[in-house]
Amino acid sequence: MELLNSLNEKQREAASHDKGPILVIAGAGTGKTRVLTHRIAYLIESGRAMPWEILAITFTNKAANEMKERIGQLIDYSIGQMWIGTFHSICVRILRQHIDRIGYDRNFTIYDTDDQKILIRDCIKELDLDPKTYNQNYIKAIISNEKNNGTSPDKYINNNYGIYKNRNIGEIYALYEKKLKVSNALDFDDLIIKTLKLLKTDEEVLKYYQEKFKYILVDEYQDTNHSQYNLIKILGKNSSGENNVFVVGDEDQSIYGWRGADINNILNFEKDFKGAKVVKLEKNYRSTKVILDAANEVIKNNCQRKGKKLYTDFKEGNLIRVLETEDEKDEAITVAALMLKEHREKNIDYSDMAVLYRTNAQSRALEEGLIREGIPYKIVGGVKFYERKEIKDIMAYLNLILNQKDDISFDRIINVPRRKIGQKTISIISEYAINKEISKFEACFDTDEMDLTPSAKKSIDNFVAMLEMLMIKKDVLPLSEFIMEVIETSGLKDMFLQDETVEGRSRVENIDEFLSAAKDFEERYEENTLEDFMAHIALLADIDKTEDSKDAVTLMTVHSAKGLEFDTVFITGLEEGIFPFIHSDEDADLEEERRLFYVAITRAKRMLYLSYARERMRYGNYEMKMKSSFLSEVPKECIEEVEKSYEKPQGFGNKSIPLFRGGIEVEKKKPAGKLKSDFVPGDKVMHKSWGIGTVVQLKDDGNDQIVVIAFENKGLMNLSLKFAPIEKI
């Protein structure tokens, strides 16, 4: 058929498959969407199915719309009656027609994330449980996970009866389900689960949809969870016993195990669908041979895979450049300098460059490096560091401590964390402040003159007392120590630690990174008061907000990068404990991290940079880092090790700038003099705030001399000999 002439041999074999189940293993950049759309067009053009007899399932609405547009360009048939959508949108269509058969009204409400949290909060209150102990985000994650695994509230309670907290979580789960039913509401997970219940309990409805959908196609099959797998399995089998299920996926790109995706769904496809055909798409149309060779060698270290080897007709390409940097600041400066070179010498648009990292917290140093060089950037799949909620909450506390007339900051934190100050109370304070022409914080000193409940008055008085105490401590504690004091005293730290979800852990990482930023500022600048630090951040934020260029570098986590491609890619933070980022010693965790690295590598079309730091600031202290074990899995013949050489290039006068081999220019740190001879390891010193400590080590970072001191109450601290307020005793 002429329709398939533009496909390569393997793509054509998959798209023209006749009947029976088929698994298409589509490697990165091998044209899986092209195969899916041509498959659907082929089924219609060949008369094997009418448009409404095909069910195509994707994971995002964007992918579904793209599929519809492409199919519309391939065939003359109207695509209006086609069932193409996400798992959830397909299930809503089925439930709107038949949910009354399982005891719901057809006009059911779908609760979003915020609705779910409110409902869970109501359940916690009704069961008279402590909301600080039973974090609503954590409870929501557990309920979602148990639902998708098919675990009812009763079963969860029975399984956890001996563990007091878990038993109570089960009671919350049970009450949550009861309240949903009373409200004739479904949450997001219910859309699939209730559809499964409908199909399993109503033979007539099941038979109708099995006969209706002659062919079922599923995209990104490696990302399906238990419920989604069961839905495909039950819908795919028609009355004749045929299983015309066509799934496309890549086990090497299965990176969502943490949110329920089960890689076994794709690994066991031939067992689950007897007589299944397997077609491997291995010809890559994206990357150079060097990049593919590296990706192939890395991923073959995994055991959980079916096996394939990507290849390309493209020339071998540039070697992958591995960059060893001193710390996260040096890494950011290096990345920025290389971007400038790619932009100026290779005419690569900024929009065709991306920086990938494992966790959102890593973006802070990278953002500052790009801002410093005037390189426009955008954050994808996340929020710019200083615009993240948890960071803005901390900054609001700091701003109010500095400026008690700051009503914006007051409004943000008066009830964060929750301290039983309701909207009515806040309105009374606001009205009083307006009438008296004073700030809202100043109004809080006059609670006796307002019509407040005793409980509200007590909460406000406690808030004021806390802020006043912090104002005193501001002038006696070092910057980073004071900020930690604010985070702990305010209750923000406990609030974020109680959220044990992935999002909650990310917030904690961002708080740690904010502390590292403060510590870095404290050590770099002689003027390092809270006022100076907040002005520094405000300047960064101001510059950030002025950037409105379409030609901007993309910053994102590797998870957000899946499905995207760029000419030039920087994978940063390749250190043990960061990438791979392992929570346990299980092999499965390491294999998913390796798949994530594989996804990162295969985003690059022409040029790939891999960077790591010898040390990185975490929790306000420098930690020595080991380079990622993944780097040793990249073939040596694919790598160009980049070392700094401090040659003085022509045209820079007396300014000495280190060069990477290959001519990449990076600002050189000022040459350091000899280490101060009056300090040696073992010396006792006095710090004006931290007391007596012992010198452990002296080191030269090229820009300054650093002394590592063990303080009795602070642990090991890295201090600048230029600025540290220490005296030998």
Side-chain angles (χ1 to χ4, degrees):
M1 182 180 286
E2 187 176 339
L3 175 70
L4 306 181
N5 288 346
S6 62
L7 304 182
N8 67 37
E9 182 182 349
K10 286 295 182 180
Q11 290 174 335
R12 191 158 53 248
E13 180 184 351
S16 61
H17 177 66
D18 189 15
K19 289 184 177 181
I22 175 172
L23 166 63
V24 181
I25 299 176
T30 57
K32 71 176 179 64
T33 304
R34 186 175 180 80
V35 170
L36 272 169
T37 53
H38 279 74
R39 167 68 173 168
I40 294 171
Y42 171 79
L43 291 173
I44 296 171
E45 286 290 316
S46 65
R48 285 170 170 76
M50 298 303 291
W52 54 87
E53 294 176 322
I54 297 173
L55 171 63
I57 304 176
T58 67
F59 269 83
T60 65
N61 289 311
K62 179 182 177 183
N65 292 331
E66 182 184 348
M67 193 177 292
K68 289 176 185 176
E69 289 177 10
R70 291 202 192 185
I71 294 168
Q73 294 169 0
L74 292 172
I75 61 175
D76 294 329
Y77 287 84
S78 169
I79 61 172
Q81 293 179 293
M82 295 184 69
W83 282 57
I84 300 179
T86 64
F87 277 97
H88 296 95
S89 66
I90 295 298
C91 287
V92 168
R93 290 184 69 173
I94 294 173
L95 292 173
R96 288 295 183 199
Q97 294 297 315
H98 310 287
I99 198 171
D100 55 308
R101 297 191 179 215
I102 55 171
Y104 288 79
D105 294 335
R106 293 187 184 184
N107 63 339
F108 61 86
T109 302
I110 301 172
Y111 278 3
D112 64 14
T113 299
D114 289 337
D115 297 327
Q116 288 178 262
K117 289 180 181 179
I118 291 170
L119 191 59
I120 291 170
R121 191 163 66 237
D122 290 346
C123 292
I124 293 170
K125 184 177 181 180
E126 189 170 323
L127 292 169
D128 197 26
L129 297 172
D130 183 1
K132 292 182 179 178
T133 302
Y134 297 90
N135 177 272
Q136 60 193 19
N137 288 327
Y138 180 56
I139 304 296
K140 175 183 169 295
I142 287 180
I143 291 174
S144 176
N145 186 61
E146 297 306 322
K147 279 190 176 188
N148 282 304
N149 286 330
T151 307
S152 68
D154 287 343
K155 185 177 180 181
Y156 184 84
I157 292 171
N158 289 335
N159 291 344
N160 295 276
Y161 200 81
I163 305 173
Y164 178 74
K165 181 177 179 181
N166 287 358
R167 186 169 76 241
N168 283 337
I169 289 173
E171 296 292 347
I172 296 169
Y173 180 12
L175 184 57
Y176 171 82
E177 288 291 273
K178 181 180 177 181
K179 286 181 176 291
L180 277 176
K181 184 67 169 64
V182 169
S183 301
N184 192 43
L186 304 179
D187 64 23
F188 216 51
D189 297 308
D190 281 330
L191 297 177
I192 297 176
I193 292 163
K194 298 304 181 189
T195 302
L196 278 170
K197 181 179 179 181
L198 170 68
L199 296 174
K200 289 177 179 179
T201 58
D202 195 304
E203 189 67 29
E204 184 182 0
V205 174
L206 173 61
K207 185 176 180 182
Y208 171 77
Y209 284 105
Q210 285 179 332
E211 295 301 317
K212 174 179 175 59
F213 301 128
K214 290 184 178 180
Y215 293 90
I216 296 177
L217 301 94
V218 185
D219 192 12
E220 303 286 10
Y221 189 66
Q222 78 280 348
D223 292 335
T224 53
N225 62 25
H226 183 71
S227 297
Q228 292 161 342
Y229 159 78
N230 283 328
L231 184 67
I232 296 162
K233 191 78 187 285
I234 197 170
L235 280 176
K237 197 167 188 176
N238 60 31
S239 58
S240 303
E242 293 178 336
N243 239 320
N244 291 326
V245 174
F246 182 102
V247 304
V248 180
D250 180 6
E251 78 281 9
D252 291 335
Q253 296 187 72
S254 179
I255 58 174
Y256 296 113
W258 50 275
R259 69 181 189 193
D262 188 349
I263 192 174
N264 290 305
N265 291 346
I266 191 169
L267 294 177
N268 296 333
F269 185 82
E270 295 106 306
K271 294 179 183 177
D272 297 332
F273 296 88
K274 300 299 182 184
K277 180 176 183 177
V278 178
V279 176
K280 296 182 181 181
L281 305 183
E282 298 173 296
K283 184 172 183 179
N284 178 282
Y285 293 90
R286 176 188 299 158
S287 306
T288 64
K289 184 178 183 300
V290 168
I291 291 170
L292 296 182
D293 286 348
N296 286 330
E297 287 299 306
V298 166
I299 202 61
K300 79 176 187 180
N301 289 284
N302 273 7
C303 297
Q304 291 183 304
R305 63 190 304 257
K306 303 183 81 68
K308 65 178 176 304
K309 188 172 183 178
L310 299 179
Y311 69 93
T312 181
D313 291 338
F314 295 156
K315 294 179 179 179
E316 291 195 359
N318 300 303
L319 291 175
I320 297 167
R321 309 193 79 182
V322 177
L323 314 171
E324 178 186 87
T325 61
E326 295 175 14
D327 52 29
E328 69 272 19
K329 299 186 293 294
D330 188 29
E331 180 180 55
I333 293 168
T334 300
V335 167
L338 289 163
M339 283 182 172
L340 286 172
K341 181 178 177 63
E342 293 283 353
H343 182 64
R344 292 169 179 169
E345 297 184 12
K346 303 288 175 58
N347 294 318
I348 305 300
D349 292 338
Y350 286 129
S351 59
D352 216 0
M353 300 185 207
V355 185
L356 308 183
Y357 36 80
R358 180 61 182 84
T359 63
N360 275 310
Q362 291 168 249
S363 78
R364 194 268 307 174
L366 293 163
E367 288 181 65
E368 292 190 13
L370 296 179
I371 289 170
R372 171 177 171 170
E373 296 297 338
I375 298 174
Y377 71 93
K378 61 182 179 181
I379 302 280
V380 172
V383 181
K384 291 182 178 181
F385 185 80
Y386 291 108
E387 293 177 9
R388 293 170 190 164
K389 179 189 180 302
E390 58 275 18
I391 302 304
K392 290 179 77 70
D393 287 344
I394 297 169
M395 289 169 61
Y397 271 97
L398 299 177
N399 281 325
L400 190 59
I401 288 167
L402 288 174
N403 174 19
Q404 291 81 58
K405 296 183 183 296
D406 183 353
D407 282 349
I408 299 296
S409 293
F410 176 90
D411 287 341
R412 185 175 186 95
I413 63 169
I414 182 60
N415 203 35
V416 177
R418 295 186 182 279
R419 48 177 65 91
K420 298 180 180 179
I421 300 176
Q423 193 55 52
K424 182 179 179 181
T425 300
I426 296 172
S427 296
I428 292 172
I429 294 171
S430 299
E431 186 176 344
Y432 183 87
I434 291 170
N435 291 336
K436 293 288 185 177
E437 296 184 347
I438 58 177
S439 73
K440 294 177 185 180
F441 182 76
E442 291 169 323
C444 288
F445 287 89
D446 299 336
T447 51
D448 289 335
E449 299 182 29
M450 301 181 215
D451 184 19
L452 298 172
T453 65
S455 174
K457 181 180 181 303
K458 182 179 179 182
S459 295
I460 293 168
D461 290 345
N462 289 340
F463 175 71
V464 170
M466 175 189 70
L467 264 291
E468 286 189 304
M469 181 57 67
L470 288 172
M471 290 173 199
I472 294 170
K473 290 184 177 182
K474 175 182 77 71
D475 296 323
V476 297
L477 292 176
L479 175 65
S480 57
E481 189 174 334
F482 171 69
I483 292 175
M484 174 57 83
E485 180 74 16
V486 171
I487 293 169
E488 291 181 347
T489 303
S490 66
L492 287 173
K493 181 180 178 181
D494 286 342
M495 180 179 77
F496 293 129
L497 284 174
Q498 285 161 12
D499 185 353
E500 299 178 44
T501 62
V502 173
E503 181 184 14
R505 289 198 298 270
S506 178
R507 292 190 189 283
V508 172
E509 289 168 6
N510 288 334
I511 292 172
D512 291 338
E513 183 62 25
F514 185 78
L515 285 169
S516 293
K519 184 72 175 176
D520 175 48
F521 182 85
E522 190 175 54
E523 293 183 355
R524 270 203 291 166
Y525 298 96
E526 189 169 359
E527 299 295 326
N528 53 25
T529 64
L530 179 61
E531 291 89 340
D532 296 322
F533 180 57
M534 296 304 287
H536 171 74
I537 291 175
L539 179 60
L540 284 175
D542 262 358
I543 295 171
D544 214 27
K545 291 171 184 174
T546 62
E547 300 292 0
D548 190 25
S549 171
K550 290 183 179 179
D551 185 24
V553 168
T554 300
L555 272 65
M556 68 182 107
T557 63
V558 183
H559 281 102
S560 298
K562 188 168 177 288
L564 302 178
E565 59 183 45
F566 301 88
D567 174 89
T568 303
V569 170
F570 296 81
I571 306 175
T572 59
L574 282 164
E575 299 133 37
E576 289 296 300
I578 295 181
F579 201 175
F581 186 71
I582 300 294
H583 291 294
S584 72
D585 295 329
E586 294 182 14
D587 291 340
D589 292 336
L590 182 60
E591 291 214 353
E592 180 152 325
E593 289 293 306
R594 187 177 284 111
R595 291 194 291 271
L596 199 56
F597 185 46
Y598 172 82
V599 167
I601 291 172
T602 53
R603 298 312 94 195
K605 294 194 286 187
R606 179 190 62 87
M607 193 69 224
L608 177 63
Y609 294 92
L610 309 175
S611 70
Y612 65 95
R614 291 198 297 268
E615 62 179 14
R616 192 173 291 270
M617 186 177 280
R618 298 190 72 190
Y619 316 113
N621 290 305
Y622 279 106
E623 294 180 355
M624 299 303 294
K625 308 301 293 185
M626 290 177 59
K627 68 179 180 180
S628 173
S629 56
F630 291 160
L631 286 171
S632 65
E633 297 174 359
V634 179
K636 291 183 179 179
E637 59 269 22
C638 296
I639 290 175
E640 177 186 0
E641 291 281 358
V642 181
E643 298 178 5
K644 291 181 181 178
S645 62
Y646 293 91
E647 303 163 12
K648 188 168 74 173
Q650 296 294 321
F652 283 88
N654 293 323
K655 184 180 178 183
S656 182
I657 298 178
L659 299 180
F660 285 120
R661 288 178 184 171
I664 292 83
E665 298 163 6
V666 183
E667 181 178 336
K668 183 181 186 300
K669 294 180 177 181
K670 294 176 182 178
K674 293 182 179 179
L675 290 169
K676 291 187 177 180
S677 58
D678 53 342
F679 285 110
V680 296
D683 281 349
K684 294 290 185 181
V685 296
M686 173 64 75
H687 187 283
K688 70 176 184 180
S689 299
W690 300 334
I692 296 175
T694 303
V695 175
V696 176
Q697 182 184 6
L698 292 162
K699 54 186 180 180
D700 183 357
D701 78 346
N703 192 30
D704 192 7
Q705 293 87 42
I706 301 297
V707 59
V708 182
I709 302 175
F711 289 98
E712 185 175 339
N713 297 318
K714 293 292 293 181
L716 288 176
M717 305 295 286
N718 290 265
L719 302 178
S720 163
L721 280 177
K722 282 184 181 177
F723 308 121
I726 56 175
E727 292 182 6
K728 189 174 178 180
I729 57 176

